[in-house]
Amino acid sequence: QVRLLESGGGSVQAGGSLRLSCARTGDTSTRYTMAWFRQAPGKEREGVALTDAPGTGTSHGYADSVKGRFTISHDNAKNTLYLQMNSLTPEDTAMYYCAAGPEYYWGFDRGRYNYWGQGTQVTVSS
């Protein structure tokens, strides 16, 4: 069983930065594909970034909308997933979720992810 708890959301002006954290407890040794998703009001939940965790730190994937601005990372010792978000725009406003799915799956199909956190809100004002 995996439990995920996000933190680090908040309100920021356009151009600012935030770092989200996702603490993983329970099963911390099994390798999963871990991802960040986001859901804006009235929109479907979409994948933002993914990595393998625990991992080597070399496998990452990003949605086109965040490439070059967001960075996903995982601290194996702390069992914590991060999302560093820079150059934020109002279009990044959403609830951000951390998710864990099977190691063999590499993508943003949310139906393939077994474990989800409760989310943390990010609001970017212009």
Side-chain angles (χ1 to χ4, degrees):
Q1 188 75 3
V2 172
R3 291 180 293 277
L4 304 171
L5 180 64
E6 303 95 335
S7 62
S11 296
V12 65
Q13 288 192 326
S17 299
L18 282 174
R19 188 176 81 154
L20 307 183
S21 299
C22 172
R24 172 177 160 183
T25 58
D27 177 4
T28 59
S29 60
T30 302
R31 180 172 294 178
Y32 288 93
T33 292
M34 294 194 70
W36 288 97
F37 285 76
R38 67 185 181 185
Q39 187 166 17
K43 295 187 177 181
E44 290 192 352
R45 193 171 297 187
E46 63 175 359
V48 173
L50 73 168
T51 187
D52 56 335
T56 61
T58 58
S59 298
H60 306 124
Y62 297 94
D64 288 343
S65 59
V66 305
K67 279 181 183 175
R69 301 189 300 122
F70 290 11
T71 303
I72 190 171
S73 62
H74 184 265
D75 187 324
N76 293 339
K78 295 182 178 179
N79 298 309
T80 300
L81 184 73
Y82 299 99
L83 185 68
Q84 177 66 44
M85 306 186 295
N86 299 328
S87 302
L88 286 162
T89 74
E91 288 68 39
D92 296 314
T93 294
M95 184 72 79
Y96 283 71
Y97 298 90
C98 170
E103 179 187 5
Y104 57 80
Y105 178 69
W106 191 256
F108 290 130
D109 180 350
R110 57 186 184 272
R112 304 294 292 272
Y113 287 81
N114 308 98
Y115 303 102
W116 292 85
Q118 294 300 306
T120 185
Q121 177 68 37
V122 171
T123 302
V124 185
S125 58
S126 58

